[in-house]
Amino acid sequence: GSLSRADDTFSGGFGSASYGPAQEGRIKPDLTNCFDNIPATWGTSTNGTTTFSGTSGATPITAGCGGVLEQMWHSGVWIGFGGGSSVFADRPASTTAKALLINTAYRYPLSQGGLTRVKQGWGMPDLTNLYNRRAKTFIVNASTPLQQGQSAIYPLTVAAGEPSLSVSMCYIDPMGNTASTISRINDLSLKVTAPDGVTVFWGNNGLNADNLSTPGGAPNTIDTVENVFLQNPAAGIWTVEVQAAQVVADASPPTAPAGPTDAA
């Protein structure tokens, strides 16, 4: 009912919203959006109607943000990508689109209105932030397939005075066995090393309790989406590494026998 995010809360109304974690502890949902009291254009009132709600509200709003992202990609917002014959002809990999939305999302304080990590996921898509960070975004668009035991390493230079550093990794995984204790098939992990060569941040470490990553931890063996979110990062060369600890099945048929990884 308002443009402010400060009054947003988690509510179990309308038969309860969908939220995580998944059975094996995987962080879900990936993204969140408005569930009720959403003004719409239908009706005669200048305020619209508030019957646009539930997953019928949250899902299309998030999908619409994805559609705008596809248009941005096609128009060349990110240098070196897009510019093809149509939006569909040169669209990004689905995991790239997801990584971009997650990486630049607005994350609610975890203390606000019951909006824990598994209630809000990685936040609400924020297209303004996505656009404003375009010139500082490094993208791997499903171009580095990995086989078991391999790693992909990307040295990234962070300038002095940067307010934040956000790294996101997404990968497609084959359909899991619902009878299995762990649903994921392949296991890739995100590791980010500071310029001092000593301080390491593993994907999702500390992010269940805070919106900022905690140093240390261990490789994440559950999630297929992993993030490292830092505030006031040290200037210098940061090393982003994706490790393929377990590649059991190819999730992307057009590729070699390993699934691609995507990062923002």
Side-chain angles (χ1 to χ4, degrees):
S2 73
L3 292 177
S4 172
R5 293 188 176 105
D7 57 2
D8 293 350
T9 62
F10 170 79
S11 172
F14 297 100
S16 185
S18 300
Y19 60 92
Q23 179 177 311
E24 75 272 56
R26 186 184 303 191
I27 295 172
K28 288 293 177 182
D30 290 317
L31 293 163
T32 192
N33 225 301
C34 300
F35 183 82
D36 58 7
N37 294 320
I38 306 166
T41 56
W42 180 57
T44 58
S45 170
T46 56
N47 294 324
T49 178
T50 58
T51 58
F52 183 49
S53 59
T55 54
S56 298
T59 301
I61 294 172
T62 302
C65 291
V68 175
L69 183 153
E70 303 279 342
Q71 293 178 318
M72 293 165 66
W73 184 277
H74 175 63
S75 64
V77 163
W78 294 279
I79 303 299
F81 299 101
S85 58
S86 71
V87 173
F88 297 100
D90 64 355
R91 64 190 183 276
S94 61
T95 42
T96 300
K98 183 162 75 167
L100 284 166
L101 288 175
I102 288 172
N103 187 265
T104 56
Y106 171 82
R107 280 172 277 283
Y108 291 94
L110 298 186
S111 59
Q112 178 179 323
L115 290 165
T116 61
R117 176 65 62 226
V118 293
K119 300 291 175 52
Q120 66 167 290
W122 301 111
M124 178 186 285
D126 186 337
L127 296 179
T128 299
N129 191 38
L130 176 71
Y131 181 78
N132 288 342
R133 295 178 66 109
R134 65 195 183 281
K136 297 180 179 180
T137 304
F138 174 79
I139 299 172
V140 180
N141 184 37
S143 58
T144 311
L146 297 175
Q147 297 185 24
Q148 186 160 319
Q150 292 183 334
S151 295
I153 298 175
Y154 307 95
L156 302 178
T157 301
V158 174
E162 285 293 333
S164 64
L165 173 63
S166 301
V167 183
S168 300
M169 177 196 74
C170 300
Y171 64 92
I172 290 178
D173 206 40
M175 182 182 298
N177 183 347
T178 55
S180 174
T181 304
I182 297 179
S183 298
R184 64 128 186 94
I185 302 299
N186 300 318
D187 178 22
L188 279 67
S189 293
L190 174 66
K191 178 183 179 183
V192 178
T193 305
D196 63 12
V198 176
T199 307
V200 171
F201 298 85
W202 286 101
N204 294 353
N205 190 51
L207 293 179
N208 272 326
D210 201 335
N211 280 329
L212 296 176
S213 296
T214 302
N220 183 299
T221 61
I222 296 177
D223 294 293
T224 58
V225 175
E226 296 184 25
N227 296 286
V228 171
F229 300 136
L230 304 174
Q231 195 172 51
N232 301 318
I237 298 176
W238 288 74
T239 303
V240 175
E241 182 177 359
V242 176
Q243 300 178 351
Q246 186 177 26
V247 179
V248 177
D250 187 6
S252 184
T255 70
T261 63
D262 308 274

